[in-house]
Amino acid sequence: MDLIKNNAKETDPQEREAALREKVPDLLGPDEHVVLGYKIGRDSYAFTNKRCIVKDRLGLSSKKTEYLSVPYAAVRGYAVETAGSMDSDVELKLYVAGVGRIEMDFVKSTDIFKLKRFLNAHVLVGDRAGKGAGATQIGVQPTKDGRTGLFDMVGDNASQIDAGKMEQALKSGSTNILLPEEKVELAFKCGRDSFCMTSHRFLQIDVQGLSGKKVEYLTVLWPTVKAFSVETAGSFFDRDSELVLFTNLPDKASNAPGMPRKSRTRINIDFRKGRADIFAVQRFFADKILGTDTVDPSGAFDSMSQPGKSGNSLFSWLGDDNRMVDPASAEREFKYILQNCEHVEMAFKGRRDMLLATSKRIISIDRQGYSGKKCAFTSLPYTTITAFAVQTAGSMDKDSELKLWTDFDDVYYPPKEDEDSPPPPPIPRRTYLSIDFKKDAVDLFAVHRFMSERCLRVEGKHKDADGFYVPNLRPADMPVSPDILAPTKTGAIDKLMGYLGADAKAVDPAKVNAALHGDTHLLQADEKVVLAYKNGRDTLVFSNKRILLIDVKGMSGKRVAYKSFPYRSVRGFAVESAGSFDSDSELKIWLKCYWIKGGPGNTIEQDLRKGKADIVAISNYLAEQTIGAQDGRAALEEGRTGDTGSASSMMGFLKNDAVATDPKKVEQQLKSSPNILQPDEHVDACYKLGRDLCVYTTKRIVQIDRKGLTGKKVEYHSTPLRYCQAFKIQTAGGMLSSEAKTKVYVDGAPDISQELSKSSSDVWGVNKILTTKILG
């Protein structure tokens, strides 16, 4: 019955390891060991000290077998679910970057909490657990032994409960799902369900069914929580306040009407009015996500659960048309939502709403309802903002704009009006924000300069010990200079556009650098232009900190968008040479965002004039900025993949079989014509697919795709290994299915699938490369 229902049973881990080493000796590393093993029919799950391996036998003969490897570093969250009264199984769900949700069913007798404790020890490690990020302690409000009333249960309203008692319950008995050193810092209960904020994670306990025996324990890692919002209670008929957590928890995508694309992006908690201090909750999450408050409370302000004590109250302050306002006044007015070490550096006031740009985040203040008592405060840390743009007003426009892209997928598909209506277009919600400013009332280039200071890396502090480029942004205790926020000189925009619009050919980087450092100060003081290209009225600039796309719109050309894409947001890139009949070469860049060009997506594409753009120089510079000096060690022993002696046969070309070629010859070619590899970068393995190549280097995977009849149009697609999250190896099958296959799952860029010749390719050599590079 368990086999029919696809439920796995626990097996002896030593026997499982011995079986794997005997049948597939190259699968496990020498220092890798199976700790937990489970088997279901021909398939199995192995949890080693480095990864989870899902073995899936395919076909009637079982000769074709898939091995999916999920490193624990790629796990962003996980959940275990106990069996209900009528269930025959318990479940595990892994939320894996680049892959999505992986579900595993086990027989009912499986100790699912042992598996959860194992994942605690291997996933909740170091920065992934938010280690060292303490939080403001919040006093407990009595809730009659943690019970909530019927109205609260129906309305899904939560009350705060004693964190110490919750910790004791979660560390006792057979459940015991917390780490020994883990502390519950904040806890809420709603009917039978609970929400716990611990020192290591966010834990949601969902009791299901009439009997309550079926319970899901969902763990969300603190770094997976990217932004948060608190909403105050409204009038008498709106008796609850609300907390919303925005996560980038990987999940299965959906485009069903009336549903979000990712079901786990938003975690909503409604609080019973008077049972939780919503502003204290806001301070707790500020400490967790922005970093611990480093300044002790001064006592100069009270909790603002009841705003409006002064004559210039909160809601009287929100009142006029859009304009820039004094940041010091805004800081005094909204001090109760700020950390003590946090300061307002720019502030904007709408008709009733506000936008604060602080030393740590962007705060949107949205006053709702007729009375205005209900107010939402949404916090976007600068580390969550993956790109930004400012757009000037056109001839007929009243507003200029600030645009922000975030790294969580909050896209929503609205419901259809009726069954016969076409589905309405998706909306980005918090994935992409467009903020309108009143024309001539906001210094747009001062906003651009400020966002550059807060969202671009600080030069000289952008590499870690392995040479990775990391988002070391300006520290919160390093205020933005007043010179940055000084008014932009009159006529500066016209002067800049006059220069950029005068030349339709190649652009001298030095001249562009001087223009962008002119009166507009579009670039930072320590920023310089390295490459620059023109296409019509648009300009593409590569500086040492970002990709800047200047997009001129409209007939008059007065509406101009200045789009900044920091290199920390780039997940992959491809350059394509022009063919015989093409006038342009092409550039594609994949970004860590989920909304582009007015719809779901993450790719920017740019045509470059044939003969006017050095695509090799662009590729090399993007490699330097996104890969850096990171780990140039070889993953394979010398000679593991050798020359097969000839190009692929016609039959192999028609069947799309890949044949291994000599890595040394391919490396020599890619370091000369064209020279796209870095000096310390080496080729580990390469496979020929007809006229195309898939190259595994010590730093990235390069796919070389020759197109057209002449083969002169060639695309070089680079995916840094650091963004490769998981991988799958499929062995060759029988006579009708002879190819071995590999698949690499990439976070933020297209996955990489490759077929390999059964007779000539070393699929386990690819496995060793990926194991060495991705598992470490």
Side-chain angles (χ1 to χ4, degrees), residues 641-684:
T641 56
D643 193 348
T644 58
S646 64
S648 56
S649 65
M650 178 60 69
M651 182 62 67
F653 175 77
L654 293 176
K655 291 180 64 179
N656 280 342
D657 289 348
V659 179
T661 57
D662 186 353
K664 290 185 178 179
K665 292 182 179 179
V666 172
E667 180 178 331
Q668 183 179 5
Q669 184 73 21
L670 295 180
K671 285 191 174 182
S672 58
S673 179
N675 181 16
I676 64 170
L677 298 186
Q678 294 182 291
D680 62 342
E681 186 176 10
H682 303 286
V683 174
D684 267 333

Tab-separated table of all heavy atoms in Angstrom, residues 641-684:
chain	number	residue	atom	x	y	z
A	641	THR	N	38.731	14.348	-19.036
A	641	THR	CA	38.029	14.408	-20.319
A	641	THR	C	39.044	14.667	-21.405
A	641	THR	O	39.789	15.649	-21.350
A	641	THR	CB	36.973	15.524	-20.334
A	641	THR	OG1	37.587	16.759	-20.011
A	641	THR	CG2	35.867	15.239	-19.346
A	642	GLY	N	39.132	13.833	-22.379
A	642	GLY	CA	40.127	13.957	-23.437
A	642	GLY	C	39.497	14.113	-24.793
A	642	GLY	O	38.289	13.976	-24.978
A	643	ASP	N	40.358	14.369	-25.826
A	643	ASP	CA	39.884	14.576	-27.183
A	643	ASP	C	39.376	13.256	-27.758
A	643	ASP	O	40.027	12.225	-27.665
A	643	ASP	CB	41.059	15.101	-28.021
A	643	ASP	CG	40.580	15.651	-29.353
A	643	ASP	OD1	39.408	15.410	-29.695
A	643	ASP	OD2	41.399	16.318	-30.012
A	644	THR	N	38.193	13.281	-28.343
A	644	THR	CA	37.622	12.078	-28.946
A	644	THR	C	38.159	11.840	-30.349
A	644	THR	O	37.857	10.839	-30.967
A	644	THR	CB	36.092	12.189	-29.019
A	644	THR	OG1	35.768	13.338	-29.781
A	644	THR	CG2	35.505	12.310	-27.633
A	645	GLY	N	38.903	12.794	-30.874
A	645	GLY	CA	39.575	12.586	-32.137
A	645	GLY	C	38.927	13.228	-33.342
A	645	GLY	O	39.561	13.438	-34.343
A	646	SER	N	37.622	13.548	-33.243
A	646	SER	CA	36.969	14.163	-34.396
A	646	SER	C	35.738	14.916	-33.950
A	646	SER	O	35.272	14.754	-32.823
A	646	SER	CB	36.572	13.092	-35.418
A	646	SER	OG	35.601	12.219	-34.851
A	647	ALA	N	35.211	15.732	-34.856
A	647	ALA	CA	33.975	16.440	-34.553
A	647	ALA	C	32.830	15.443	-34.487
A	647	ALA	O	32.948	14.296	-34.917
A	647	ALA	CB	33.707	17.491	-35.619
A	648	SER	N	31.702	15.895	-33.974
A	648	SER	CA	30.559	14.993	-33.834
A	648	SER	C	30.085	14.534	-35.208
A	648	SER	O	30.146	15.253	-36.192
A	648	SER	CB	29.417	15.713	-33.112
A	648	SER	OG	29.076	16.890	-33.788
A	649	SER	N	29.632	13.297	-35.256
A	649	SER	CA	29.160	12.724	-36.510
A	649	SER	C	27.831	13.334	-36.902
A	649	SER	O	27.166	13.979	-36.105
A	649	SER	CB	29.016	11.213	-36.348
A	649	SER	OG	27.991	10.933	-35.402
A	650	MET	N	27.426	13.090	-38.180
A	650	MET	CA	26.136	13.606	-38.635
A	650	MET	C	25.014	13.013	-37.819
A	650	MET	O	24.060	13.704	-37.458
A	650	MET	CB	25.953	13.291	-40.128
A	650	MET	CG	24.606	13.745	-40.691
A	650	MET	SD	24.352	15.535	-40.536
A	650	MET	CE	25.576	16.116	-41.709
A	651	MET	N	25.104	11.718	-37.508
A	651	MET	CA	24.066	11.077	-36.708
A	651	MET	C	24.016	11.700	-35.323
A	651	MET	O	22.938	11.958	-34.785
A	651	MET	CB	24.329	9.565	-36.589
A	651	MET	CG	23.241	8.812	-35.792
A	651	MET	SD	21.613	8.930	-36.567
A	651	MET	CE	21.907	7.983	-38.068
A	652	GLY	N	25.195	11.953	-34.763
A	652	GLY	CA	25.225	12.591	-33.448
A	652	GLY	C	24.640	13.988	-33.500
A	652	GLY	O	23.940	14.413	-32.581
A	653	PHE	N	24.917	14.721	-34.588
A	653	PHE	CA	24.346	16.063	-34.735
A	653	PHE	C	22.825	16.003	-34.833
A	653	PHE	O	22.117	16.770	-34.184
A	653	PHE	CB	24.921	16.735	-35.978
A	653	PHE	CG	24.300	18.067	-36.277
A	653	PHE	CD1	24.662	19.192	-35.548
A	653	PHE	CD2	23.349	18.196	-37.256
A	653	PHE	CE1	24.085	20.418	-35.810
A	653	PHE	CE2	22.760	19.419	-37.529
A	653	PHE	CZ	23.124	20.526	-36.808
A	654	LEU	N	22.283	15.085	-35.621
A	654	LEU	CA	20.840	14.977	-35.777
A	654	LEU	C	20.167	14.546	-34.483
A	654	LEU	O	19.031	14.936	-34.201
A	654	LEU	CB	20.505	13.984	-36.904
A	654	LEU	CG	20.916	14.416	-38.324
A	654	LEU	CD1	20.632	13.315	-39.333
A	654	LEU	CD2	20.209	15.696	-38.724
A	655	LYS	N	20.859	13.749	-33.690
A	655	LYS	CA	20.275	13.272	-32.422
A	655	LYS	C	20.570	14.215	-31.266
A	655	LYS	O	20.185	13.947	-30.122
A	655	LYS	CB	20.853	11.881	-32.092
A	655	LYS	CG	20.390	10.787	-33.035
A	655	LYS	CD	20.990	9.461	-32.645
A	655	LYS	CE	20.513	9.017	-31.277
A	655	LYS	NZ	21.080	7.705	-30.900
A	656	ASN	N	21.283	15.322	-31.538
A	656	ASN	CA	21.631	16.285	-30.490
A	656	ASN	C	22.455	15.641	-29.385
A	656	ASN	O	22.295	15.944	-28.211
A	656	ASN	CB	20.380	16.930	-29.887
A	656	ASN	CG	19.851	18.032	-30.769
A	656	ASN	OD1	20.561	18.532	-31.630
A	656	ASN	ND2	18.598	18.394	-30.565
A	657	ASP	N	23.323	14.705	-29.748
A	657	ASP	CA	24.223	14.105	-28.762
A	657	ASP	C	25.453	14.994	-28.596
A	657	ASP	O	25.988	15.516	-29.562
A	657	ASP	CB	24.697	12.720	-29.217
A	657	ASP	CG	23.589	11.687	-29.156
A	657	ASP	OD1	22.559	12.006	-28.545
A	657	ASP	OD2	23.752	10.589	-29.727
A	658	ALA	N	25.907	15.114	-27.360
A	658	ALA	CA	27.116	15.914	-27.109
A	658	ALA	C	28.318	14.994	-26.996
A	658	ALA	O	28.229	13.900	-26.477
A	658	ALA	CB	26.951	16.720	-25.824
A	659	VAL	N	29.442	15.421	-27.517
A	659	VAL	CA	30.659	14.635	-27.474
A	659	VAL	C	31.743	15.462	-26.792
A	659	VAL	O	31.950	16.624	-27.119
A	659	VAL	CB	31.112	14.237	-28.903
A	659	VAL	CG1	32.405	13.439	-28.850
A	659	VAL	CG2	30.012	13.426	-29.591
A	660	ALA	N	32.420	14.869	-25.809
A	660	ALA	CA	33.457	15.588	-25.077
A	660	ALA	C	34.594	15.971	-26.009
A	660	ALA	O	34.977	15.219	-26.899
A	660	ALA	CB	33.982	14.724	-23.945
A	661	THR	N	35.112	17.156	-25.834
A	661	THR	CA	36.269	17.607	-26.599
A	661	THR	C	37.393	17.949	-25.632
A	661	THR	O	37.201	17.953	-24.420
A	661	THR	CB	35.907	18.824	-27.461
A	661	THR	OG1	35.398	19.854	-26.611
A	661	THR	CG2	34.835	18.473	-28.485
A	662	ASP	N	38.532	18.232	-26.161
A	662	ASP	CA	39.712	18.451	-25.337
A	662	ASP	C	39.611	19.791	-24.614
A	662	ASP	O	39.610	20.851	-25.259
A	662	ASP	CB	40.950	18.422	-26.234
A	662	ASP	CG	42.236	18.493	-25.442
A	662	ASP	OD1	42.160	18.703	-24.217
A	662	ASP	OD2	43.311	18.344	-26.049
A	663	PRO	N	39.558	19.818	-23.277
A	663	PRO	CA	39.432	21.082	-22.532
A	663	PRO	C	40.584	22.044	-22.801
A	663	PRO	O	40.380	23.254	-22.857
A	663	PRO	CB	39.401	20.634	-21.063
A	663	PRO	CG	38.987	19.200	-21.099
A	663	PRO	CD	39.544	18.651	-22.377
A	664	LYS	N	41.792	21.499	-22.970
A	664	LYS	CA	42.945	22.377	-23.188
A	664	LYS	C	42.826	23.113	-24.512
A	664	LYS	O	43.148	24.310	-24.619
A	664	LYS	CB	44.240	21.556	-23.139
A	664	LYS	CG	44.578	21.045	-21.743
A	664	LYS	CD	45.920	20.346	-21.722
A	664	LYS	CE	46.275	19.883	-20.308
A	664	LYS	NZ	47.577	19.182	-20.275
A	665	LYS	N	42.352	22.416	-25.554
A	665	LYS	CA	42.196	23.062	-26.854
A	665	LYS	C	41.077	24.096	-26.832
A	665	LYS	O	41.201	25.179	-27.420
A	665	LYS	CB	41.923	22.008	-27.919
A	665	LYS	CG	43.114	21.088	-28.195
A	665	LYS	CD	42.799	20.093	-29.296
A	665	LYS	CE	44.005	19.188	-29.580
A	665	LYS	NZ	43.701	18.193	-30.636
A	666	VAL	N	39.991	23.760	-26.139
A	666	VAL	CA	38.883	24.702	-26.041
A	666	VAL	C	39.308	25.928	-25.237
A	666	VAL	O	38.995	27.065	-25.594
A	666	VAL	CB	37.650	24.035	-25.401
A	666	VAL	CG1	36.558	25.061	-25.120
A	666	VAL	CG2	37.116	22.937	-26.309
A	667	GLU	N	40.056	25.712	-24.158
A	667	GLU	CA	40.538	26.841	-23.354
A	667	GLU	C	41.451	27.740	-24.171
A	667	GLU	O	41.334	28.979	-24.113
A	667	GLU	CB	41.276	26.322	-22.123
A	667	GLU	CG	41.816	27.430	-21.238
A	667	GLU	CD	42.512	26.895	-19.987
A	667	GLU	OE1	42.138	25.801	-19.514
A	667	GLU	OE2	43.428	27.574	-19.481
A	668	GLN	N	42.334	27.111	-24.943
A	668	GLN	CA	43.235	27.898	-25.795
A	668	GLN	C	42.438	28.730	-26.790
A	668	GLN	O	42.753	29.904	-27.042
A	668	GLN	CB	44.193	26.958	-26.528
A	668	GLN	CG	45.228	27.683	-27.389
A	668	GLN	CD	46.167	26.717	-28.089
A	668	GLN	OE1	45.998	25.500	-28.000
A	668	GLN	NE2	47.155	27.250	-28.782
A	669	GLN	N	41.383	28.136	-27.350
A	669	GLN	CA	40.555	28.850	-28.309
A	669	GLN	C	39.825	30.021	-27.652
A	669	GLN	O	39.759	31.129	-28.198
A	669	GLN	CB	39.536	27.876	-28.921
A	669	GLN	CG	38.676	28.470	-30.013
A	669	GLN	CD	39.440	28.679	-31.313
A	669	GLN	OE1	40.468	28.045	-31.535
A	669	GLN	NE2	38.948	29.577	-32.153
A	670	LEU	N	39.270	29.791	-26.444
A	670	LEU	CA	38.476	30.817	-25.762
A	670	LEU	C	39.340	31.862	-25.062
A	670	LEU	O	38.808	32.813	-24.496
A	670	LEU	CB	37.519	30.162	-24.757
A	670	LEU	CG	36.434	29.280	-25.359
A	670	LEU	CD1	35.551	28.693	-24.260
A	670	LEU	CD2	35.581	30.060	-26.356
A	671	LYS	N	40.645	31.679	-25.103
A	671	LYS	CA	41.553	32.706	-24.602
A	671	LYS	C	42.283	33.427	-25.742
A	671	LYS	O	43.189	34.204	-25.492
A	671	LYS	CB	42.561	32.103	-23.628
A	671	LYS	CG	41.975	31.787	-22.254
A	671	LYS	CD	43.031	31.437	-21.236
A	671	LYS	CE	42.416	31.286	-19.841
A	671	LYS	NZ	43.430	30.979	-18.808
A	672	SER	N	41.831	33.117	-26.979
A	672	SER	CA	42.463	33.780	-28.121
A	672	SER	C	41.421	34.306	-29.098
A	672	SER	O	41.388	35.500	-29.392
A	672	SER	CB	43.429	32.813	-28.828
A	672	SER	OG	42.749	31.640	-29.253
A	673	SER	N	40.556	33.438	-29.589
A	673	SER	CA	39.592	33.867	-30.612
A	673	SER	C	38.245	33.179	-30.394
A	673	SER	O	38.040	32.059	-30.870
A	673	SER	CB	40.124	33.539	-32.004
A	673	SER	OG	39.201	33.923	-33.001
A	674	PRO	N	37.323	33.804	-29.640
A	674	PRO	CA	37.469	35.116	-28.967
A	674	PRO	C	38.028	34.934	-27.562
A	674	PRO	O	37.912	33.870	-26.968
A	674	PRO	CB	36.013	35.593	-28.898
A	674	PRO	CG	35.224	34.319	-28.707
A	674	PRO	CD	35.948	33.267	-29.502
A	675	ASN	N	38.615	35.973	-27.058
A	675	ASN	CA	39.207	35.927	-25.722
A	675	ASN	C	38.138	36.290	-24.686
A	675	ASN	O	38.015	37.444	-24.267
A	675	ASN	CB	40.386	36.898	-25.653
A	675	ASN	CG	41.052	36.885	-24.290
A	675	ASN	OD1	40.842	35.970	-23.502
A	675	ASN	ND2	41.853	37.900	-24.012
A	676	ILE	N	37.347	35.299	-24.245
A	676	ILE	CA	36.253	35.587	-23.313
A	676	ILE	C	36.492	35.012	-21.915
A	676	ILE	O	35.668	35.211	-21.013
A	676	ILE	CB	34.902	35.068	-23.849
A	676	ILE	CG1	34.914	33.543	-23.956
A	676	ILE	CG2	34.555	35.714	-25.172
A	676	ILE	CD1	33.547	32.965	-24.247
A	677	LEU	N	37.594	34.284	-21.714
A	677	LEU	CA	37.887	33.742	-20.387
A	677	LEU	C	38.822	34.676	-19.633
A	677	LEU	O	39.634	35.392	-20.230
A	677	LEU	CB	38.523	32.351	-20.502
A	677	LEU	CG	37.694	31.243	-21.165
A	677	LEU	CD1	38.415	29.911	-21.059
A	677	LEU	CD2	36.307	31.154	-20.540
A	678	GLN	N	38.722	34.640	-18.319
A	678	GLN	CA	39.617	35.444	-17.490
A	678	GLN	C	40.988	34.779	-17.405
A	678	GLN	O	41.120	33.565	-17.631
A	678	GLN	CB	39.015	35.615	-16.092
A	678	GLN	CG	37.732	36.430	-16.098
A	678	GLN	CD	37.183	36.622	-14.696
A	678	GLN	OE1	36.720	35.687	-14.052
A	678	GLN	NE2	37.223	37.849	-14.217
A	679	PRO	N	42.034	35.539	-17.074
A	679	PRO	CA	43.386	34.963	-17.060
A	679	PRO	C	43.525	33.758	-16.129
A	679	PRO	O	44.246	32.804	-16.454
A	679	PRO	CB	44.259	36.138	-16.597
A	679	PRO	CG	43.500	37.355	-16.999
A	679	PRO	CD	42.050	36.996	-16.854
A	680	ASP	N	42.836	33.798	-14.950
A	680	ASP	CA	42.954	32.686	-14.005
A	680	ASP	C	41.808	31.690	-14.136
A	680	ASP	O	41.592	30.864	-13.253
A	680	ASP	CB	42.998	33.229	-12.574
A	680	ASP	CG	41.729	33.974	-12.189
A	680	ASP	OD1	40.975	34.366	-13.099
A	680	ASP	OD2	41.497	34.158	-10.974
A	681	GLU	N	41.083	31.749	-15.256
A	681	GLU	CA	39.945	30.857	-15.480
A	681	GLU	C	40.365	29.720	-16.412
A	681	GLU	O	41.031	29.940	-17.414
A	681	GLU	CB	38.788	31.644	-16.098
A	681	GLU	CG	37.501	30.859	-16.255
A	681	GLU	CD	36.366	31.734	-16.775
A	681	GLU	OE1	36.639	32.900	-17.186
A	681	GLU	OE2	35.217	31.263	-16.790
A	682	HIS	N	39.961	28.503	-16.061
A	682	HIS	CA	40.370	27.333	-16.844
A	682	HIS	C	39.153	26.482	-17.180
A	682	HIS	O	38.152	26.485	-16.458
A	682	HIS	CB	41.390	26.502	-16.067
A	682	HIS	CG	42.608	27.277	-15.659
A	682	HIS	ND1	43.595	27.640	-16.552
A	682	HIS	CD2	42.974	27.801	-14.459
A	682	HIS	CE1	44.533	28.343	-15.911
A	682	HIS	NE2	44.174	28.460	-14.644
A	683	VAL	N	39.263	25.740	-18.277
A	683	VAL	CA	38.181	24.863	-18.717
A	683	VAL	C	38.348	23.507	-18.051
A	683	VAL	O	39.392	22.870	-18.167
A	683	VAL	CB	38.182	24.725	-20.248
A	683	VAL	CG1	37.151	23.690	-20.686
A	683	VAL	CG2	37.895	26.070	-20.898
A	684	ASP	N	37.302	23.070	-17.354
A	684	ASP	CA	37.310	21.747	-16.732
A	684	ASP	C	36.829	20.675	-17.699
A	684	ASP	O	37.392	19.585	-17.765
A	684	ASP	CB	36.402	21.739	-15.493
A	684	ASP	CG	37.161	22.054	-14.218
A	684	ASP	OD1	38.367	21.772	-14.188
A	684	ASP	OD2	36.559	22.563	-13.265
